[in-house]
Amino acid sequence: MRPGAPADWTPVVVHRSNPLPVLLRRFNVYSNNDIIRVAEGLGGPEGLETFLEQRLGLESEALELETASGENRNRLTASTDRKFPRLARPEMAGSVVVKTGTLINTDGGVAVVGGIFSTPTNEIVLFCVGVRQTGWKEPHWRGLQQSWLLELIDSAGGAVQRPCGGELPFSDTFAEVEWVVSWESL
């Protein structure tokens, strides 16, 4: 029974959502960037793949984009990591989970990086660094953020490499609806 419900109250349907970690992981995948409008002019996700491969000198297998927004199945290999190249090195790969956010024009620009890593003593370190007034100088600020993050990792005794998680389930994969009362009994 539902806490605080009247004694004669009977639920008709119970909906159980995914576990909170699954919902949060799925929610974090969503992105609503202006890149969608840019990609339309390039020929959609396929055109964006071609553009990025040519612009960054990547192998044709380095990108796999289903959408231009970051939703659904989009993959970039670690070799595409131009913002934090030292974190992509084999000795660091898989040790730090980061999420970046960049605005070039809004409020003079902002470059944010946040994330998490585990130390060899199994401590969890959360971090977030935002730089304002970055304008069009994002590569400079990303370099400083990378240096700061590497110093943080070093001061914590290092970061433990962990394998990437499994395939991300859809938002309703584990959700279920349970009919408590049949329509005939109503």
Side-chain angles (χ1 to χ4, degrees), residues 2-186:
R2 182 177 178 189
D8 61 347
W9 181 80
T10 302
V12 175
V13 175
V14 175
H15 177 267
R16 291 181 184 87
S17 69
N18 282 330
L20 184 58
V22 172
L23 290 173
L24 292 176
R25 280 188 70 211
R26 189 75 194 169
F27 181 74
N28 195 36
V29 169
Y30 177 74
S31 182
N32 187 9
N33 297 324
D34 288 331
I35 196 68
I36 296 170
R37 288 183 283 284
V38 171
E40 288 173 5
L42 294 171
E46 296 83 15
L48 181 59
E49 276 184 31
T50 302
F51 171 79
L52 290 172
E53 288 166 357
Q54 291 171 352
R55 177 71 184 250
L56 300 174
L58 304 174
E59 298 176 16
S60 62
E61 303 298 317
L63 293 172
E64 181 186 330
L65 302 179
E66 186 175 313
T67 66
S69 67
E71 291 182 284
N72 298 333
R73 182 171 174 80
N74 293 310
R75 301 290 182 256
L76 286 85
T77 65
S79 64
T80 65
D81 192 346
R82 299 288 191 242
K83 294 182 181 182
F84 303 102
R86 291 172 58 196
L87 293 175
R89 292 180 180 166
E91 67 272 12
M92 291 296 296
S95 61
V96 183
V97 177
V98 299
K99 174 71 172 117
T100 61
T102 309
L103 295 174
I104 302 296
N105 297 320
T106 306
D107 298 328
V110 64
V112 178
V113 61
I116 185 170
F117 66 89
S118 297
T119 69
T121 59
N122 218 22
E123 294 177 282
I124 303 296
V125 178
L126 300 168
F127 60 89
C128 184
V129 178
V131 182
R132 58 189 184 104
Q133 302 295 320
T134 58
W136 289 92
K137 298 180 180 178
E138 181 198 5
H140 168 74
W141 296 109
R142 292 298 184 201
L144 292 176
Q145 288 174 332
Q146 176 180 250
S147 294
W148 175 86
L149 181 52
L150 289 168
E151 287 178 20
L152 176 66
I153 291 168
D154 190 47
S155 71
V160 177
Q161 290 179 307
R162 303 213 187 270
C164 291
E167 192 70 27
L168 187 63
F170 287 99
S171 56
D172 63 350
T173 298
F174 303 110
E176 60 183 47
V177 174
E178 176 186 335
W179 290 98
V180 179
V181 176
S182 70
W183 289 109
E184 293 81 28
S185 64
L186 291 178

